[in-house]
Amino acid sequence: MNNTTNAEKALKITTALTLIVSGYELLRSCRNYREGMNLLDIASYATADLNTYCLVLILANMILLPQALMLYKQSGISLKNEIYDRQNLGRDIFMGIVLAVVSAVISLLSVFVSKGRTELAFQGWGQLSVGEIFLMILSLGFVSGICKEIFFRGLAKNFCGSVWGETASLLIINVLFGMLDWFNMGHSFLVGFLWIWGYKKSGHLIVPMIAHGGMNLISVVFYIITS
């Protein structure tokens, strides 16, 4: 397969994931619309049905992952080597953890953004059950942390990069990454730049994987403690 064909396939995979997940989020938000809501109110309902949201996230990633893996295999690119290198594993893990903490701190800014919500906004999940906590850890910590980075960082660099240029591809696909989580008002788009930097600096996907999954796990723990 030529570079253009590979780039098109990579773009289709990331676009499909974006449309599936963001489409569900938008549907949930619109179904709960009431007169007087502002944009932050509407966005707050995107993940209101927590169990269904987590399941949609898991299924969408799992359905599209085989296509991404096949693209790597057909192109002769070792995904294992793309994810980590034993010689630099310790350094990369440390970098990923640091970026996870920095990303989690940035996510605290959403507290100030949420102050623009009215009484019509979704008021939160309340006390989470063990099953809900498990689904959040699985979907946000592991599935999102691993699969989304293969899609939005790995495919962008290895396949779109040969057509548009590596940096340009990572930045363009990061727009899709931000669109997928549109309800957090640009937070995903912003931290995506950090994870791109970590990926380019290390050359391995394990850095943004740890940063992404780690940030989400910190958020889950923070919610459990404060709820």
Side-chain angles (χ1 to χ4, degrees), residues 9 19 24 26 36-37 39 47 51 68 72 80 84 93 131 139 141 152 154 164 167 174 178 184 187 200 202 214 227:
K9 288 189 174 183
L19 291 177
Y24 166 78
L26 187 60
M37 280 184 169
L39 182 58
T47 61
N51 288 330
Y72 272 98
K80 173 179 171 291
Y84 73 94
I93 290 175
S139 62
F152 292 99
W164 303 331
T167 300
N174 193 50
N184 63 31
H187 172 255
K200 287 177 66 66
S202 66
S227 62

Side-chain angles (χ1 to χ4, degrees), residues 105-173:
V105 171
I106 293 175
S107 71
L108 291 176
L109 296 175
S110 63
V111 173
F112 298 100
V113 174
S114 64
K115 289 183 179 180
R117 294 176 180 174
T118 73
E119 68 280 359
L120 295 175
F122 179 65
Q123 299 305 313
W125 299 310
Q127 193 69 33
L128 297 175
S129 67
V130 174
E132 289 171 329
I133 293 172
F134 173 77
L135 270 179
M136 288 183 75
I137 292 173
L138 178 62
S139 62
L140 301 177
F142 292 96
V143 174
S144 288
I146 295 172
C147 296
K148 280 188 182 179
E149 293 309 310
I150 291 176
F151 295 136
F152 292 99
R153 249 60 74 177
L155 294 184
K157 174 189 173 185
N158 291 292
F159 302 104
C160 298
S162 60
V163 177
W164 303 331
E166 183 178 299
T167 300
S169 296
L170 286 166
L171 294 177
I172 291 171
I173 299 301

Side-chain angles (χ1 to χ4, degrees), residues 47 50 53-54 97 99-111 125-126 128 132-133 135-142 144 181 183-184 187-188 191 195 210-227:
T47 61
L50 182 60
Y53 171 71
C54 289
I97 293 173
L99 289 178
V101 173
V102 173
S103 300
V105 171
I106 293 175
S107 71
L108 291 176
L109 296 175
S110 63
V111 173
W125 299 310
L128 297 175
E132 289 171 329
I133 293 172
L135 270 179
M136 288 183 75
I137 292 173
L138 178 62
S139 62
L140 301 177
F142 292 96
S144 288
D181 289 331
F183 64 89
N184 63 31
H187 172 255
S188 291
V191 294
W195 302 342
I210 292 175
H212 188 162
M215 182 199 72
N216 286 344
L217 289 176
I218 290 172
S219 299
V220 172
V221 172
F222 180 79
Y223 183 82
I224 293 173
I225 293 174
T226 58
S227 62

Side-chain angles (χ1 to χ4, degrees), residues 10-132:
L11 185 59
K12 285 179 180 178
I13 292 171
T14 52
T15 301
L17 180 62
T18 300
L19 291 177
I20 292 170
V21 179
S22 64
Y24 166 78
E25 295 162 351
L26 187 60
L27 178 62
R28 286 293 309 177
S29 296
C30 291
R31 286 184 64 184
N32 288 280
Y33 175 77
R34 283 175 285 170
E35 188 176 353
M37 280 184 169
N38 61 35
L39 182 58
L40 291 175
D41 295 333
I42 296 170
S44 70
Y45 284 91
T47 61
D49 185 347
L50 182 60
N51 288 330
T52 304
Y53 171 71
C54 289
L55 289 173
V56 167
L57 201 56
I58 292 170
L59 288 174
N61 278 277
M62 291 297 98
I63 289 171
L64 292 169
L65 183 60
Q67 297 181 43
L69 298 181
M70 183 62 68
L71 188 55
Y72 272 98
K73 183 176 180 180
Q74 292 175 342
S75 302
I77 300 175
S78 171
L79 183 56
K80 173 179 171 291
N81 294 337
E82 182 67 18
I83 293 175
Y84 73 94
D85 172 16
R86 285 188 178 181
Q87 292 184 339
N88 299 307
L89 186 57
R91 180 203 67 183
D92 290 345
I93 290 175
F94 177 76
M95 184 184 294
I97 293 173
V98 170
L99 289 178
V101 173
V102 173
S103 300
V105 171
I106 293 175
S107 71
L108 291 176
L109 296 175
S110 63
V111 173
F112 298 100
V113 174
S114 64
K115 289 183 179 180
R117 294 176 180 174
T118 73
E119 68 280 359
L120 295 175
F122 179 65
Q123 299 305 313
W125 299 310
Q127 193 69 33
L128 297 175
S129 67
V130 174
E132 289 171 329

